Amino acid sequence: MHLYTTVMAERIGLRRAVLFVTATSLLTNLLLAGVLLSMKPETRTVIIPPTLAQEREVWTFTDTGPSAAYLERFALSLLSYVATVTPETVDSSRTALLRHTDASVYGEIESAFIIEGDRMKKDHSSTIFYPKNASVDEKALIVKVTGTQKLVIGNTVTSTHEKTWTLRFRYTAGRLFLLSVTDRDL
């Protein structure tokens, strides 16, 4: 009987050992799963707008400035804040434009924008600019955009004429700063 008890004790001990190892493994797996689920992996998503993918433009930056393609795109973006505004959007457009304005001309551009914005609010007028083409002087950091400018008062288009907007920039430390925005009727 003594031999039987010894064999049974070994089997019971072996069973307990197997159960202990299985329980420990299960608990460890549950803890690891909890840690993995609670961690948020760092991912970086780069979104390329469809228009850029179709244009196949390459935006490059050198010590002297950005490529002509980037300069044109940036100028058109800023021009939308100046040339297409309503009484409701003039203040937010001014704020957006001034974020990219050089400190040396900040006050001058802000004052002109405030005067024009007050006039638009008083007259309830809006301006719309439809760009047709742009020419870029990559070395001088100047972009000229030609298109159709419309003045709308209420629901009526009161004037339509061809206009050229000229935007001049300064490039410092990898950033473009707006130095001037001028317009000329054609």
Side-chain angles (χ1 to χ4, degrees), residues 17-79:
V18 168
L19 285 174
F20 176 75
V21 169
T22 304
T24 305
S25 174
L26 180 62
L27 184 61
T28 304
N29 285 333
L30 286 174
L31 286 172
L32 287 173
V35 168
L36 288 175
L37 289 175
S38 67
M39 290 179 54
K40 297 203 187 271
E42 188 175 316
T43 58
R44 183 176 189 186
T45 304
V46 177
I47 298 173
I48 300 174
T51 56
L52 293 180
Q54 291 169 356
E55 291 173 10
R56 308 232 189 269
E57 293 177 348
V58 177
W59 292 355
T60 57
F61 290 81
T62 63
D63 292 339
T64 58
S67 65
Y70 181 82
L71 195 57
E72 179 181 340
R73 181 68 63 134
F74 189 70
L76 287 171
S77 174
L78 292 185
L79 186 57

Side-chain angles (χ1 to χ4, degrees), residues 129-147:
F129 182 70
Y130 301 98
K132 289 183 182 172
N133 60 46
S135 63
V136 178
D137 184 343
E138 196 173 346
K139 289 187 185 350
L141 299 175
I142 295 174
V143 180
K144 292 184 179 185
V145 182
T146 303

